[in-house]
Amino acid sequence: MLQLLGTGVASAGITATAGCLGGDGDDEDEVEEFVVTQGEFIENTDPNDHNATPYYNVLDQVYEPLFNVTDDGEIEERVVTDWEHPEDGVVELTIRDDVVFHEGEELVASDVAYTINRQIDEDVGIVSDQVAGMTAIEGAEADGDTTVLVEHSAAESLAEFQLANFARAVNEEWMEGQDQPVDGEMNGTGPYQLEEYESGVQAVYTRFDDYWGDEPAFETVRFNAAAESSSRVGGLQADESDLVVNVPPTDVETVDTEDGIEVRNVTSFRNIFLVMKNEVEPFDSQEFRQALNYAVDNEGIIDSVLGGFGAPMTQPIPEGLFGYNPELDPYEQDQELAEELIEESGYAGEEITLQSMEGRYLNDAEVAQTAADQIDQLGNVSCDFETVPFDQISDAAGEGPDFEEIPFFLIGWGNPTGDSDYGLSPWFTSGGGQFNFRDEELEERLIESQQEDDEDEREALLQGINADLREEAPWVFLHLEESIYGVRDDLEWEPRQDESIYIDEMGL
Amino acid sequence: MSFGKFLSKRILQGVIVVWGVITGTFALRAASPGDPVNLIVDPAASPELRERIREELGLNEPLYVQYADYLGGILTGDFGYSYQSGQDVLPLVVQRLPATLELAVAATVVAIVIAIPLGVVSATRRNQPADYGATLFSLVGISTPNFWLGIMLILVLAVQFGIFPTGQRPVGFAEAMGTFVTTLHADELLTWVRHITLPAIALGTYFTALITRLTRSGMVDELGKPYVTATEAKGLPAVLIRYKHVLRNTMIPIITVLGLQLGTLIGGAVITETVFAWPGLGLRLINAIYTLDWPLIQGIIIVIGVGFVLINIVVDSLYAYLNPRVIDE
């Protein structure tokens, strides 16, 4: 209801005046404060106690990543200037010698090693959510002041992807002196340092004068939160925010036609799909699973339910990730073929129920209901739709392929690492937290891909797995979510597919 | 019954209500589907880690053991820790209490300042345009959902005219007042006033309408009583009669409602705080509900419940003190 009314707020088409930044906006030296409003906000200031993009966006300005990952997924130097593989299972990182923490200590290799160990070992500080993204990393130790040796159990490229996406340096001595998890204080090496923090509300940063890299454009940056989308859009219109996250599709036209602000969007790496547990009838039939893919009109859902925002999926992995197979096409809706496949499956006349949460992903329940209606239109199968709390879906996803209570459900999966493995292994290997599709041969191939050191070979293996998964149809492939931002129109910034926001890359 | 016994009885009743709230929230948590471990660790975490966390949280214990642990914890001030932030619940709740209290009190002030004069005017000018206007205002105020009103206030007064900000709370009242007292600079205090005005109006409108109605009906009753006729016959000025005698008698039930409604406003702030991104208990409760952060949900509900009970006890006691007949009723 609030979102519906929020649409009314934004649809009023009210003219915005000048930007909320201080100064005239032409001279970057004049800029006083840049305000970013998200729907979610950090619950504490510990850089290792979370694994969600909105949280990284708040913290990354202070706790800079060790590597740069370009929007194309390329790994570049940053705090780490060089990385080599002196022997199997070891990455040697060389770090800059001119990096200092905001409290004045120099960054040394032992800090980086401590950070990595803190992420993967629950006995070092906290139980870090980030362990899920660093499955290939086994431990780290310092070798002198600027060299870190990281042990890993997988292919070199996979280990690099994981380090590049999850490692940010903390100061060991400082961190050990804090209550765990840390809250209220930050001590990173990034371009901004913490000035003011209010738990769950806002973090205000100022430029860090001793930052080793280029000076960022804005003197002060404020991250705050407005859970209600109409409040975020209203804040942008009233010049209280310079960048707001997740503009609802219904407000896009209003924001885009207003003076001084505009919408910028990009298709993200967040994949939305319908899981079918293949140990539960009738989803144990490949024909039946394929039939459901042919029954659903992906493009139609994107156009009608998502306002045209989204991209149809062709395989379990989004385009742009290592291992994506560019040769594959989406399933096109073909209800006759779907009915034939259902006959072939032996499950004609079956009654199934699609379950979905509501409000977690963009128009999730509406997407699921439309898909269920399209399946229900088939002459030889009926499909009901039901909304359930997210945690029930989350539980079902973690209960394995034999769990009969919720065998068919909508869920989303972000792919922040730039590598197919994070999108595949949790779902298709029996040790993965989201294991719902039992296929031992596929699992062996995935494990093989993790061990393959030759990058080309590994890519070919992953592309083959993705092609076969399209045919196996473990999911009804739906779409990639769109990231929709509202920004002041003179902002030099393009949104990234990985949903990251780095203020030091912006300007006016 | 003595006043002391009356107070003891009320406190005992309050303790029972608080125990009921604690037990009710625990029961809700126990009955709610889903595994809390999923809320604490990443979905891709290993089964071993999940099991370890389950053991640490005592989730493998029988329900009565969990209940006893929880109750014992609360009695010692330990409300557990938030699944999302990993922080102790009690400081997380206490930290947000001032913002919600500020909002509730500001909404009450808005209600008093507007409603009482409006009710008096309405009662003393019955069947005249002022009365019709006040009655219409009451009807609209009572019928308008506060989240809708909040969005409309943002639309008109913040976005279109830019008079007020759309929300947020950059400074707290205590801090703003402290700065004012020590430096005589009112900037922070004005900032606080600008930011709280729209949320206070949105939250207080229903309350304002209610008090307007109560004042009007109370005044109408009082104005028909013989003592009013007698004072008029004595030749006392009409303003003095209305505001000194009639309004004073009307205020007793209004003060009772004001006290009780303050508790309701704390609960009612949930939606208003969300619309205006006002960082109070309500906003934290909504976030906790979205993430099913049960320890935090329980902590907030218990604190709101305790606050409500305390306000009730204070109001009842004051009422009994002022009007001792109610002690024996």
Side-chain angles (χ1 to χ4, degrees):
Chain A
M1 176 61 88
L2 288 177
Q3 282 184 336
L4 198 65
L5 288 164
T7 302
V9 173
S11 302
I14 291 153
T15 306
T17 53
C20 70
L21 294 174
D24 58 16
D26 293 330
D27 183 350
E28 290 177 7
D29 288 336
E30 295 287 320
V31 169
E32 287 176 0
E33 184 173 83
F34 185 81
V35 181
V36 180
T37 305
Q38 303 191 121
E40 295 169 315
F41 199 73
I42 50 173
E43 292 291 345
N44 63 43
T45 56
D46 196 310
N48 302 136
D49 189 37
H50 60 86
N51 188 16
T53 309
Y55 292 5
Y56 283 122
N57 286 341
V58 178
L59 292 165
D60 277 0
Q61 322 309 324
V62 174
Y63 291 100
E64 63 179 329
L66 292 183
F67 297 81
N68 269 337
V69 180
T70 68
D71 205 22
D72 298 328
E74 295 296 319
I75 299 170
E76 297 177 342
E77 65 177 78
R78 186 163 178 158
V79 174
V80 170
T81 56
D82 191 28
W83 54 100
E84 292 175 358
H85 298 271
E87 57 184 285
D88 280 352
V90 177
V91 190
E92 185 181 294
L93 309 178
T94 304
I95 61 169
R96 302 181 64 93
D97 60 3
D98 57 350
V99 181
V100 290
F101 286 97
H102 299 156
E103 301 224 349
E105 314 90 348
E106 283 184 12
L107 170 75
V108 289
S110 59
D111 293 318
V112 175
Y114 171 80
T115 308
I116 292 169
N117 292 328
R118 191 171 190 260
Q119 290 172 284
I120 61 174
D121 184 350
E122 59 260 34
D123 294 326
V124 182
I126 57 165
V127 177
S128 172
D129 289 340
Q130 291 157 8
V131 67
M134 300 184 77
T135 51
I137 309 300
E138 296 195 321
E141 62 175 330
D143 181 12
D145 278 351
T146 58
T147 304
V148 185
L149 299 172
V150 182
E151 288 186 25
H152 64 88
S153 59
E156 292 171 358
S157 61
L158 180 57
E160 287 172 9
F161 271 118
Q162 295 192 347
L163 287 171
N165 281 281
F166 289 98
R168 286 122 173 113
V170 299
N171 181 271
E172 179 178 5
E173 191 181 345
W174 182 86
M175 193 57 87
E176 289 285 295
Q178 306 289 318
D179 289 337
Q180 308 288 325
V182 178
D183 192 29
E185 294 187 65
M186 300 187 195
N187 183 24
T189 63
Y192 286 98
Q193 60 185 347
L194 183 66
E195 185 71 28
E196 186 186 333
Y197 171 73
E198 196 175 348
S199 171
V201 179
Q202 64 174 359
V204 181
Y205 303 137
T206 53
R207 270 197 292 240
F208 176 45
D209 292 336
D210 293 331
Y211 182 55
W212 62 269
D214 294 337
E215 183 180 79
F218 309 129
E219 170 71 33
T220 306
V221 176
R222 181 186 301 269
F223 274 82
N224 59 26
E228 180 50 42
S229 62
S230 63
S231 302
R232 291 196 299 277
V233 173
L236 182 70
Q237 290 177 301
D239 308 321
E240 292 169 9
S241 294
D242 299 291
L243 189 160
V244 301
V245 175
N246 289 341
V247 174
T250 43
D251 288 345
V252 163
E253 191 180 345
T254 306
V255 172
D256 233 0
T257 53
E258 198 161 297
D259 289 342
I261 56 175
E262 66 183 26
V263 161
R264 291 184 197 166
N265 59 292
V266 67
T267 304
S268 75
F269 286 145
R270 187 168 299 283
N271 176 15
I272 307 296
F273 49 95
L274 310 180
V275 173
M276 297 175 279
K277 289 180 181 280
N278 76 332
E279 295 288 358
V280 179
E281 295 180 352
F283 305 109
D284 57 340
S285 160
Q286 182 181 0
E287 290 82 7
F288 192 88
R289 297 192 303 266
Q290 286 181 333
L292 299 198
N293 272 283
Y294 283 115
V296 173
D297 177 12
N298 268 355
E299 297 271 12
I301 288 176
I302 292 168
D303 287 341
S304 62
V305 182
L306 300 171
F309 290 102
M313 288 295 291
T314 59
Q315 56 200 287
I317 296 304
E319 185 174 1
L321 265 63
F322 184 80
Y324 171 81
N325 190 329
E327 305 295 325
L328 306 178
D329 294 320
Y331 279 87
E332 294 286 338
Q333 189 184 34
D334 185 339
Q335 297 217 315
E336 279 184 27
L337 178 56
E339 287 173 352
E340 284 173 23
L341 285 166
I342 284 175
E343 292 296 333
E344 283 176 31
S345 74
Y347 285 117
E350 201 70 26
E351 294 177 1
I352 57 175
T353 300
L354 172 61
Q355 289 166 309
S356 169
M357 73 297 293
E358 186 166 13
R360 175 114 182 155
Y361 311 108
L362 189 62
N363 294 349
D364 43 17
E366 293 88 340
V367 167
Q369 180 149 28
T370 308
D373 286 345
Q374 290 172 347
I375 294 167
D376 196 50
Q377 284 167 19
L378 300 178
N380 51 5
V381 69
S382 72
C383 183
D384 286 336
F385 168 71
E386 189 180 21
T387 55
V388 293
F390 174 73
D391 59 314
Q392 283 189 38
I393 299 278
S394 179
D395 282 354
E399 288 289 344
D402 309 291
F403 185 68
E404 294 184 348
E405 285 179 34
I406 303 182
F408 184 34
F409 56 87
L410 180 144
I411 202 164
W413 189 254
N415 292 273
T417 65
D419 189 284
S420 287
D421 190 70
Y422 191 75
L424 296 176
S425 291
W427 292 92
F428 301 109
T429 60
S430 50
Q434 312 291 303
F435 182 51
N436 285 280
F437 190 82
R438 184 167 286 125
D439 183 330
E440 287 174 7
E441 189 247 329
L442 179 78
E443 187 174 347
E444 282 172 17
R445 288 167 63 195
L446 266 172
I447 292 167
E448 186 190 345
S449 77
Q450 291 172 346
Q451 309 297 328
E452 177 57 61
D453 276 331
D454 184 288
E455 245 182 70
D456 293 338
E457 285 289 324
R458 186 163 176 270
E459 185 171 31
L461 277 172
L462 288 168
Q463 287 179 340
I465 290 169
N466 278 318
D468 289 348
L469 277 169
R470 182 192 181 280
E471 291 308 304
E472 284 283 344
W475 308 336
V476 175
F477 302 107
L478 293 179
H479 57 270
L480 285 176
E481 263 201 338
E482 197 81 355
S483 296
I484 308 175
Y485 302 87
V487 299
R488 49 181 292 156
D489 60 8
D490 56 353
L491 182 67
E492 291 172 4
W493 176 71
E494 288 304 321
R496 296 168 55 107
Q497 274 192 288
D498 62 8
E499 302 170 334
S500 295
I501 296 173
Y502 298 114
I503 303 295
D504 61 330
E505 293 178 352
M506 298 179 179
L508 294 177
Chain B
M1 191 191 297
S2 68
F3 179 74
K5 275 189 177 177
F6 173 82
L7 188 60
S8 305
K9 192 178 162 190
R10 282 285 184 271
I11 290 171
L12 183 63
Q13 286 172 341
V15 169
I16 292 169
V17 170
V18 170
W19 173 76
V21 170
I22 293 169
T23 306
T25 53
F26 181 84
L28 273 175
R29 173 188 184 175
S32 98
D35 184 352
V37 178
N38 285 335
L39 308 169
I40 299 169
V41 294
D42 190 272
S46 67
E48 293 76 25
L49 179 58
R50 288 164 175 273
E51 187 53 30
R52 196 181 126 181
I53 290 171
R54 198 169 281 116
E55 276 178 25
E56 282 176 5
L57 290 178
L59 297 171
N60 291 333
E61 300 290 341
L63 215 50
Y64 68 87
V65 175
Q66 291 183 42
Y67 176 67
D69 285 347
Y70 185 64
L71 211 52
I74 287 175
L75 289 174
T76 56
D78 177 10
F79 284 62
Y81 69 89
S82 157
Y83 291 160
Q84 288 298 313
S85 70
Q87 308 293 311
D88 284 339
V89 163
L90 197 56
L92 289 176
V93 176
V94 171
Q95 196 179 59
R96 293 292 185 92
L97 203 51
T100 297
L101 287 176
E102 281 172 20
L103 186 54
V105 171
T108 306
V109 170
V110 167
I112 292 169
V113 168
I114 297 173
I116 292 176
L118 205 59
V120 172
V121 169
S122 180
T124 53
R125 298 185 186 178
R126 266 181 292 169
N127 302 323
Q128 292 178 32
D131 185 26
Y132 296 142
T135 307
L136 184 65
F137 168 79
S138 302
L139 187 65
V140 171
I142 282 176
S143 315
T144 305
N146 64 358
F147 64 84
W148 181 86
L149 180 64
I151 290 171
M152 290 301 112
L153 289 170
I154 290 174
L155 172 67
V156 178
L157 297 178
V159 177
Q160 185 157 22
F161 294 113
I163 301 170
F164 297 102
T166 59
Q168 310 276 348
R169 178 179 174 263
V171 62
F173 177 75
E175 189 186 344
M177 203 60 191
T179 305
F180 178 66
V181 169
T182 52
T183 67
L184 292 180
H185 288 149
D187 294 358
E188 283 194 359
L189 200 55
L190 287 173
T191 300
W192 178 82
V193 170
R194 287 187 69 238
H195 279 264
I196 204 168
T197 301
L198 294 188
I201 293 172
L203 182 61
T205 296
Y206 170 86
F207 196 23
T208 308
L210 182 69
I211 299 296
T212 303
R213 281 192 165 192
L214 276 176
T215 308
R216 183 187 183 279
S217 61
M219 287 283 289
V220 168
D221 281 351
E222 287 295 320
L223 285 168
K225 288 185 177 171
Y227 78 89
V228 177
T229 313
T231 49
E232 281 172 347
K234 279 186 187 172
L236 282 176
V239 172
L240 194 66
I241 296 170
R242 285 173 199 163
Y243 286 95
K244 187 177 177 188
H245 301 289
V246 178
L247 183 60
R248 180 184 285 178
N249 290 337
T250 308
M251 285 303 288
I252 294 172
I254 292 175
I255 288 170
T256 309
V257 172
L258 278 172
L260 296 178
Q261 283 290 322
L262 187 62
T264 310
L265 285 179
I266 292 171
V270 171
I271 298 296
T272 306
E273 288 181 2
T274 307
V275 170
F276 290 96
W278 186 262
L281 275 182
L283 191 59
R284 181 147 274 173
L285 179 61
I286 287 280
N287 289 335
I289 289 170
Y290 277 151
T291 54
L292 283 179
D293 192 343
W294 269 107
L296 191 52
I297 295 171
Q298 287 173 292
I300 294 171
I301 291 175
I302 290 167
V303 166
I304 289 176
V306 168
F308 200 90
V309 166
L310 283 177
I311 290 169
N312 267 282
I313 291 173
V314 170
V315 170
D316 282 356
S317 305
L318 276 176
Y319 201 74
Y321 182 74
L322 293 171
N323 184 6
R325 280 178 300 175
V326 299
I327 292 175
D328 297 318
E329 282 174 0

